[in-house]
Amino acid sequence: MTADQEKKQAALEAVKFIKDNMVVGLGTGSTAKHMIEAVGDLVKNGMNLTCVPSSDATEKLARELGITIVELHEVDTIDVTIDGADEFDDNFQLIKGGGGALLREKILAWNTAYNIIIADSSKDVQKLGAFKLPVEVIPFATKQIFNYLQAEGLKPVQRMKEELPYRTDENNNILDIDISGVNDLQSLEIKLLKVPGIVETGLFLNTTSLIIVGKEGGPVVKHRN
Ligand code: 5RP
């Protein structure tokens, strides 16, 4: 199976958890795209769903597919959110934000009763950190935070797009950092979030209930203990 076939298989398995009249959080990325298309099919087949998107790109695709989109403040809570990940480990810890949507994704995850992560098998790792951790920062403070992260040995790289600093949907910058040498992720998260101007990190340490991985022979469904 190709990685894309694994992504699609995981996405199709995940949408089975969506039931009529649910509020659904829609993730961002190439794996989430398969899920959004499958949600579009559920809606076409008559299911009544209200969806909250995690990015402008996801919102655009969902609207094109006829999915009812609302803003987060229009719902009390989200029943289920389905999203991708850049890496996950055996403890259901994730790195997210490769697609730049980490801030809204993390807000959706925090406000969701049941978070499902869908992924191809390459995202399954023993230890998080081969993928660089995205850190979303306010442009006013990007240079100072870059210098701080460098002094901390985290080798920041400012994310760029077409030779200009990348801007998220919230108009912030992203610094990608190397956490391969870090063992205590909880402490790192607390330390980073104390820095004025760091808005959010792509570490999702405690929100995921279920991980579905596409694999030859059928999807692997991992439940959090
Ligand atoms: C976007 C994300 C994505 O879920 C993550 O980057 C995985 O993307 P893909 O499914 O394209 O591999 O966190 O901010």
Side-chain angles (χ1 to χ4, degrees):
M1 271 178 113
T2 65
D4 194 57
Q5 286 168 332
E6 291 183 352
K7 290 174 191 202
K8 185 167 182 179
Q9 187 198 63
L12 295 180
E13 188 66 19
V15 298
K16 294 178 186 169
F17 289 81
I18 298 175
K19 307 290 176 219
D20 204 20
N21 299 317
M22 275 187 168
V23 177
V24 180
L26 302 176
T28 295
S30 58
T31 319
K33 181 169 179 282
H34 289 299
M35 174 273 300
I36 298 161
E37 286 166 355
V39 169
D41 289 342
L42 295 179
V43 170
K44 273 191 200 88
N45 291 330
M47 205 180 261
N48 175 41
L49 300 174
T50 303
C51 296
V52 186
S54 57
S55 64
D56 294 348
T58 287
E59 176 172 352
K60 182 170 179 290
L61 174 62
R63 285 192 190 281
E64 283 165 8
L65 294 168
I67 296 169
T68 302
I69 290 294
V70 296
E71 293 190 24
L72 184 57
H73 67 81
E74 295 178 75
V75 299
D76 290 326
T77 186
I78 300 171
D79 296 303
V80 60
T81 287
I82 306 174
D83 201 353
D86 298 299
E87 284 185 347
F88 65 87
D89 69 12
D90 288 346
N91 296 318
F92 284 56
Q93 303 182 120
L94 323 171
I95 288 181
K96 284 184 51 53
L102 61 145
L103 176 55
R104 290 191 195 171
E105 290 174 333
K106 206 155 175 180
I107 293 169
L108 290 201
W110 179 258
N111 288 286
T112 295
Y114 198 69
N115 281 291
I116 302 175
I117 291 298
I118 49 177
D120 63 85
S121 50
S122 73
K123 310 291 180 60
D124 189 350
V125 298
Q126 282 303 307
K127 183 180 185 308
L128 298 183
F131 194 91
K132 300 292 178 278
L133 175 70
V135 177
E136 183 155 346
V137 302
I138 290 175
F140 180 74
T142 299
K143 183 183 162 198
Q144 275 63 29
I145 295 168
F146 182 99
N147 290 344
Y148 166 77
L149 295 169
Q150 197 153 46
E152 289 295 309
L154 294 166
K155 303 179 188 145
V157 174
Q158 178 155 12
R159 195 178 294 187
M160 304 293 285
K161 189 177 179 191
E162 290 155 13
E163 295 179 17
L164 289 171
Y166 177 85
R167 292 290 185 129
T168 67
D169 288 345
E170 299 294 334
N171 214 19
N172 292 317
N173 294 142
I174 289 188
L175 300 174
D176 292 296
I177 63 171
D178 181 354
I179 62 162
S180 57
V182 177
N183 290 320
D184 186 348
L185 297 176
Q186 304 277 355
S187 296
L188 175 70
E189 174 79 341
I190 291 165
K191 185 166 98 171
L192 292 177
L193 292 178
K194 277 186 183 154
V195 178
I198 290 184
V199 184
E200 198 44 88
T201 84
L203 280 175
F204 287 55
L205 299 180
N206 203 24
T207 46
T208 304
S209 297
L210 194 78
I211 299 177
I212 304 178
V213 191
K215 272 219 171 101
E216 194 80 53
V220 176
V221 181
K222 298 166 184 262
H223 293 263
R224 190 180 194 132
N225 294 325

